[in-house]
Amino acid sequence: MSRRPVAVAASVLTVLALGAVSACSGTSGSSSASSGSGGTPTVKLMVGGIDKQIYLPYQLAQNLGFYKKYGVDVQLSTEQDGGVGAEEAMASGQVDMAGAWYNHTIEFQAKGKAVEDVVQLSGAPGEREMCTKKSGVTSGADFKGKTLGVTDLGSGTDTLTQFLAAKKGVKTSQFHRIGVGAGSTAIAALQNGKVDCVMTTQPTVAAIQKKGVGTSAIDLATTQGATAAMGGAYPAASVLARTDWVDAHKDTVQKVVDALVATMHWINTHSAADIANKLPASFVSNQLVTKADYITALTEDKGQFLPDGIMPAGGPKTSLATEQLVGNVKGSVDLGKTFTNDFAVQANKTEGFKTTTTPAGPTG
């Protein structure tokens, strides 16, 4: 499952106020993409933690009015702690699309399910391994004998934690992993000595640093950091959908991608403060962080976002290598079926945007 949202009640209320739909809806994906008033298609999109910085483009596109501008009504919702993951809700037809990590497409294919990534929003996980000073952790080689916090077992953070260890020759049997969620629960785990480190994202990272309970030991928050730690760009935040649904709703998918590609260019050409000013107040200022903290953190980690929605060359191969090394995927995978750049390329051409990301080919 993709990462859980920061436990901020106000954020959930904000999402509900914005008309987000429940993940428990029994409406199938195909029917929810039907045209509403004026022929505008409606799409249900669940995000794996809508108030996390790594997932900010989905809500930002809504607040900028880009979904409406490009002719689609996107109804956003978010994962809840202990609830169904965004990618699972998409795969089962509870929602049409998922705002989740690309690696899930590889895992689905290994299980015989056809799911694809239709637009790539980031080239890095946006995560940091936050460790207590006494832990002595500076790399995966130091995980031996440690207790490491992940969002939940089987999540993207869990996969990355195992990968960082395996890359340094440390077996999963040589350290302990426990689910600590995100936000206040992750911070408490560090404060109470329940874990030596926790893999988490902004704004939890900023809150941990501000409280002085942990420091960044491993940087996976930017494309440069991810490349150094993992050997290549690691495509993370994206939009996933079932291949059969994509094939049946290509015009609608194009509208969603148009809106998000425009959003990525907006992010690339605006400051962290500009971005924060366009997000719900509860996302950027809550019991974890002040708005100033949020902006500082986003300025630091803004490099994770890709400017054009293109899947970067080598990204799928890095993701596959990660899945194989930790044992999540053992058979062969056709990477060309796990993503497409067609919609993003068309979106950039339509708007006359200059693309800077080198696109991945059929083999990743």
Side-chain angles (χ1 to χ4, degrees):
M1 299 172 71
S2 49
R3 277 70 39 80
R4 298 300 182 198
V6 175
V8 181
S11 297
V12 176
L13 291 174
T14 300
V15 174
L16 291 174
L18 289 168
V21 294
S22 168
C24 297
S25 169
T27 306
S28 68
S30 58
S31 62
S32 63
S34 60
S35 297
S37 59
T40 301
T42 297
V43 172
K44 294 180 179 180
L45 194 161
M46 181 184 285
V47 183
I50 200 166
D51 51 6
K52 288 184 174 183
Q53 279 194 4
I54 58 172
Y55 288 144
L56 71 82
Y58 311 99
Q59 185 66 57
L60 181 61
Q62 190 81 281
N63 289 15
L64 289 173
F66 284 171
Y67 295 129
K68 182 178 181 180
K69 175 182 177 180
Y70 290 97
V72 61
D73 176 17
V74 175
Q75 299 180 353
L76 296 172
S77 60
T78 188
E79 287 185 4
Q80 302 298 324
D81 285 325
V84 65
E87 72 284 350
E88 294 294 344
M90 171 274 302
S92 65
Q94 294 179 48
V95 295
D96 306 308
M97 292 177 154
W101 281 8
Y102 159 72
N103 69 300
H104 293 301
T105 66
I106 296 174
E107 294 172 350
F108 277 126
Q109 187 180 126
K111 297 175 183 177
K113 297 181 180 180
V115 170
E116 62 188 86
D117 176 342
V118 297
V119 60
Q120 189 60 44
L121 309 183
S122 67
E127 306 281 347
R128 291 180 183 273
E129 191 73 46
M130 303 299 293
C131 303
T132 61
K133 294 179 180 178
K134 66 178 182 180
S135 71
V137 172
T138 59
S139 77
D142 304 314
F143 286 178
K144 189 179 295 185
K146 300 295 192 300
T147 298
L148 307 174
V150 298
T151 309
D152 54 13
L153 297 181
S155 68
T157 54
D158 188 21
T159 297
L160 286 178
T161 298
Q162 294 178 69
F163 176 77
L164 292 174
K167 200 166 176 60
K168 295 295 184 179
V170 179
K171 299 178 181 179
T172 54
S173 60
Q174 295 177 302
F175 60 96
H176 185 50
R177 308 174 342 267
I178 61 172
V180 298
S184 58
T185 55
I187 295 170
L190 277 176
Q191 283 180 314
N192 301 334
K194 188 176 181 180
V195 297
D196 297 291
C197 304
V198 61
M199 184 173 287
T200 191
T201 185
Q202 300 288 7
T204 308
V205 166
I208 289 172
Q209 292 173 323
K210 190 172 184 178
K211 291 176 178 291
V213 298
T215 58
S216 177
I218 303 174
D219 170 23
L220 301 178
T222 64
T223 302
Q224 182 178 5
T227 299
M230 306 182 71
Y234 185 89
S238 62
V239 173
L240 311 182
R242 299 186 314 278
T243 298
D244 62 343
W245 190 90
V246 172
D247 289 343
H249 301 89
K250 288 187 176 181
D251 288 344
T252 299
V253 173
Q254 187 65 61
K255 294 176 187 294
V256 174
V257 175
D258 286 347
L260 285 167
V261 165
T263 302
M264 302 318 293
H265 279 275
W266 195 94
I267 290 172
N268 190 50
T269 55
H270 287 75
S271 69
D274 291 334
I275 296 168
N277 287 336
K278 290 294 184 179
L279 292 171
S282 61
F283 284 25
V284 302
S285 179
N286 47 61
Q287 67 262 40
L288 290 181
V289 292
T290 65
K291 188 172 182 179
D293 293 331
Y294 187 96
I295 292 171
T296 297
L298 181 55
T299 300
E300 183 179 4
D301 292 350
K302 190 165 170 272
Q304 69 189 275
F305 296 114
L306 298 170
D308 43 30
I310 301 290
M311 172 64 78
K317 289 182 179 179
T318 301
S319 188
L320 176 58
T322 304
E323 296 291 327
Q324 291 173 329
L325 190 59
V326 303
N328 287 347
V329 174
K330 297 179 181 179
S332 61
V333 172
D334 184 349
L335 289 176
K337 293 181 179 179
T338 63
F339 73 95
T340 177
N341 276 324
D342 292 349
F343 296 106
V345 168
Q346 183 58 50
N348 281 283
K349 285 183 178 179
T350 297
E351 292 300 321
F353 292 138
K354 180 181 179 181
T355 60
T356 57
T357 301
T358 301
T363 61

